[in-house]
Amino acid sequence: MDLDMKDVVALCKRRGFIFPASDIYGGINGFWDYGPLGVELKNNLRDLWWKAMVVTPPIGPDGTPVQIVGLDSSIIQNPKAWVASGHVGGFSDPMVDCRETKKRYRADHLMILKSEGDKWPSFHEESEDEEIEKRLKKLNLDTNVSNYERVNLTDLDASFYEKIIAPDTKVAGTLTEPKEFNLMFESHAGPIQSDENKVYLRPETAQGIFLNFKNVLDSSRVRMPFGIAQIGKAFRNEVNPRNFIFRSREFEQMEMEWFCHPDEVEKWRDFWFEERTKFWRAVGLASDNLQIRKHGDDELSHYAKEGLGTSDIEYKFPFTAPDFGELEGIAHRCDFDLTAHQEHSGQKLEYMDPVTQDKYMPHVIEPAAGLTRGALALICEAYTVDESRPSGVYLNFHPALAPKKAAILPLSAKEEHVGPATKLYLALREEFAVDLDIKQNIGKRYARQDEIGTPYCFTIDNDTLEDGTVTVRDRNTMAQERISMDKVADYLREKMKPVSAMKVAA
Ligand code: ATP
């Protein structure tokens, strides 16, 4: 069954996963807040990534354990860093403005319906046929979509612009020609708002890693090849933030820069590709919903003009289906960044092999994933409609990702049930995120746990008092079994094991 994003967004708000930022003021486009359960889910994904990359990184393709160290660099850096990295000059999208409505659109996201006539309505690329037909009717144009040719604005000569009706107007000819628009948020460091004090909020976490390449090399025992990993906020003044948290203006990234000898890039690119795909499967994304896509030559980033280019791990989000949307990019950044920083800073950043005395500029393979986008993929994957249960829906999170690992439910509010339930709860909460839920009938309590994706409910009833067992209810199957109360922690521990989970799913 097709998932409606409206339902997903509504559940996220209702149950405290994700709220619009500044909700009481009507929100702010492109910004989101993570509620009590959302922050847990996001942190669980973050921690699993950190564990897979930094704490217990894999064994490399030739049997040697890989070395990766962590970093937490500042969001604001010397603005010269962004000139060197190419973000001040090149980190931009082609934009067109509508002179009438003052709205701004990404030129490469505008689709034009071309016809014989002199009025060519334009739409956002992802507009549904239904929407298009409605608007054609309003504009008194032929509503038969098949009578038009669909073209992208960037493929049209500017002399045709006067025929185009911008997406939010009724008259033709209001669009300007495309111009570049920089996606970096600007601010000023210090009290004076002058150009000299201009700073940028980082649009990617990667540059903080390149800026610290020499510091890390000089201060730790890592030797080539090795990685530096970082998780943190990134900011992009996206022209058209959309699809819930998929494209927002403030988001989180999980990036690792893998530094290696230029002759070895292919081997490492393939290795990291496989590892990263394994990771997304292990955290619960179904193989059918994942795909790998190599970038076309026309979409190479400013750093990837040569070399192996970028391949993406993509997920079939409900709003992209049957197509896929980027979850993680795995790029060969060549030696672009280190060379640029060496030139601009005047500091030597080459690597000298201590054994061979060979001096070279390392090449970089970069697995760059979205943490917040990853959390969205987990939510979409987990969202399971089931009319047969009272909640009508449950979130099928992998136990290692679920915000709450278990709920302890005394069958009644009587002390004989609540007493042992509280005891079990107090023991479990030393190790796991668990809920003790006493109020309401048991069906309602199960429904709530289903909706927030709690994998197990332990119920304390009269039998508990006799034989010391509890009922375990499995969220997905709703099957129940009895286990001894003193085995509950072991039971959960076994289900939580993230590393073994990663192996099972891989
Ligand atoms: P896109 O083509 O979607 O704009 P990108 O190729 O520019 O993304 P990268 O610079 O490779 O993205 O960033 C790495 C990851 O960061 C992406 O795979 C994505 O998961 C995440 N990301 C990038 N932009 C955003 C955004 N505006 N909102 C949320 N996540 C983002």
Side-chain angles (χ1 to χ4, degrees):
M1 190 174 119
D2 287 347
L3 204 57
D4 191 336
M5 271 316 280
K6 274 199 234 78
D7 296 336
V8 177
V9 175
L11 183 138
C12 282
K13 181 159 183 194
R14 187 167 73 245
R15 288 306 188 185
F17 282 90
I18 300 162
F19 309 123
S22 309
D23 201 11
I24 57 172
Y25 289 100
I28 167 167
N29 196 9
F31 297 89
W32 300 91
D33 293 340
Y34 292 77
L37 296 177
V39 66
E40 294 296 339
L41 174 71
K42 183 157 68 68
N43 287 353
N44 290 340
L45 179 59
R46 177 198 69 186
D47 294 348
L48 282 175
W49 187 92
W50 193 259
K51 187 158 192 298
M53 299 304 248
V54 182
V55 185
T56 59
I59 302 293
D62 37 18
T64 326
V66 308
Q67 308 172 76
I68 303 178
V69 291
L71 180 78
D72 185 6
S73 72
S74 185
I75 284 173
I76 291 178
Q77 299 282 354
N78 188 316
K80 287 180 191 156
W82 303 112
V83 177
S85 68
H87 286 90
V88 169
F91 189 62
S92 50
D93 287 329
M95 306 298 309
V96 288
D97 289 323
C98 173
R99 291 188 203 93
E100 189 182 302
T101 62
K102 307 289 175 226
K103 289 202 176 178
R104 179 168 267 190
Y105 311 92
R106 256 182 77 166
D108 54 338
H109 286 180
L110 274 194
M111 178 245 300
I112 318 287
L113 294 193
K114 202 174 145 188
S115 68
E116 294 299 315
D118 56 1
K119 284 189 180 149
W120 298 352
S122 63
F123 295 86
H124 296 282
E125 192 177 52
E126 71 260 24
S127 304
E128 309 268 347
D129 275 359
E130 243 173 57
E131 241 173 273
I132 295 180
E133 278 161 21
K134 244 196 230 160
R135 184 151 170 263
L136 287 172
K137 199 166 172 197
K138 265 199 194 145
L139 292 169
N140 286 327
L141 293 171
D142 176 5
T143 54
N144 187 349
V145 180
S146 57
N147 289 341
Y148 296 87
E149 183 192 347
R150 285 178 194 228
V151 292
N152 195 280
L153 179 74
T154 47
D155 296 332
L156 274 185
D157 190 275
S159 59
F160 292 111
Y161 280 21
E162 57 203 56
K163 295 187 172 203
I164 298 171
I165 307 173
D168 302 284
T169 57
K170 289 187 178 155
V171 288
T174 61
L175 284 184
T176 62
E177 283 193 36
K179 50 179 183 272
E180 299 287 298
F181 166 80
N182 197 289
L183 296 185
M184 278 199 294
F185 278 99
E186 293 176 7
S187 186
H188 293 90
I192 301 162
Q193 307 246 323
S194 68
D195 267 1
E196 287 93 89
N197 295 327
K198 200 197 283 183
V199 291
Y200 302 96
L201 304 192
R202 68 178 177 204
E204 60 174 25
T205 55
Q207 290 308 319
I209 296 180
F210 297 119
L211 296 174
N212 283 288
F213 172 73
K214 191 169 157 31
N215 280 339
V216 171
L217 207 54
D218 291 349
S219 63
S220 63
R221 304 184 58 202
V222 284
R223 290 291 167 261
M224 215 64 74
F226 73 96
I228 306 179
Q230 162 150 262
I231 300 177
K233 293 249 176 175
F235 303 81
R236 294 185 190 176
N237 197 0
E238 297 280 0
V239 181
N240 182 14
R242 63 186 179 286
N243 293 330
F244 198 22
I245 59 172
F246 178 84
R247 185 173 302 287
S248 36
R249 290 179 168 146
E250 176 176 341
F251 55 98
E252 278 175 88
Q253 292 185 308
M254 312 188 280
E255 299 196 292
M256 195 269 288
E257 307 304 317
W258 180 255
F259 301 96
C260 64
H261 192 280
D263 292 347
E264 297 200 317
V265 284
E266 212 154 327
K267 171 177 90 179
W268 288 112
R269 190 266 317 260
D270 295 349
F271 174 74
W272 284 116
F273 217 96
E274 211 165 289
E275 283 298 315
R276 298 304 309 141
T277 312
K278 238 196 263 177
F279 175 86
W280 288 112
R281 284 206 205 110
V283 296
L285 302 185
S287 299
D288 287 357
N289 290 335
L290 286 171
Q291 98 172 1
I292 283 156
R293 190 179 71 91
K294 202 170 172 319
H295 276 206
D297 287 346
D298 57 337
E299 45 179 339
L300 290 185
S301 335
H302 57 266
Y303 53 78
K305 295 270 181 271
E306 299 152 17
L308 306 174
T310 300
S311 300
D312 291 337
I313 300 177
E314 299 186 323
Y315 181 73
K316 200 197 282 174
F317 289 95
F319 45 82
T320 58
D323 292 332
F324 292 70
E326 174 176 337
L327 188 57
E328 169 158 356
I330 293 158
H332 175 204
R333 292 182 80 125
C334 302
D335 57 357
F336 176 89
D337 305 87
L338 288 180
T339 304
H341 288 306
Q342 174 167 282
E343 268 168 29
H344 283 75
S345 69
Q347 300 275 327
K348 284 264 166 271
L349 297 176
E350 283 168 320
Y351 179 77
M352 158 95 87
D353 189 305
V355 179
T356 61
Q357 304 283 302
D358 184 18
K359 218 173 175 193
Y360 61 92
M361 194 57 100
H363 269 223
V364 169
I365 298 294
E366 174 199 71
L371 169 56
T372 40
R373 204 178 270 187
L376 177 61
L378 292 179
I379 292 170
C380 294
E381 179 82 34
Y383 193 100
T384 313
V385 175
D386 178 359
E387 307 288 356
S388 75
R389 54 178 89 195
S391 58
V393 60
Y394 65 99
L395 294 183
N396 170 16
F397 292 127
H398 185 296
L401 273 304
K404 297 283 179 191
K405 309 306 181 193
I408 294 97
L409 313 175
L411 188 64
S412 75
K414 286 188 210 134
E415 179 50 30
E416 60 197 41
H417 292 156
V418 173
T422 308
K423 207 168 136 214
L424 179 63
Y425 164 71
L426 289 174
L428 291 177
R429 80 195 282 277
E430 295 200 0
E431 192 178 339
F432 305 102
V434 287
D435 253 4
L436 173 67
D437 193 358
I438 299 172
K439 298 203 181 87
Q440 295 187 312
N441 72 44
I442 194 84
K444 283 208 173 120
R445 283 182 279 165
Y446 282 151
R448 175 172 184 278
Q449 298 300 337
D450 281 350
E451 255 201 328
I452 67 171
T454 309
Y456 306 103
C457 288
F458 297 106
T459 306
I460 280 76
D461 54 20
N462 289 339
D463 288 350
T464 313
L465 313 180
E466 310 233 318
D467 60 9
T469 62
V470 295
T471 305
V472 193
R473 173 188 179 269
D474 182 284
R475 172 199 61 205
N476 294 2
T477 61
M478 295 191 283
Q480 306 201 356
E481 57 171 324
R482 292 200 78 89
I483 64 169
S484 165
M485 192 138 125
D486 52 17
K487 290 277 183 306
V488 169
D490 281 345
Y491 181 92
L492 278 182
R493 221 168 278 135
E494 194 50 40
K495 304 283 187 190
M496 285 324 119
K497 265 191 196 161
V499 178
S500 64
M502 203 168 296
K503 286 192 179 127
V504 171

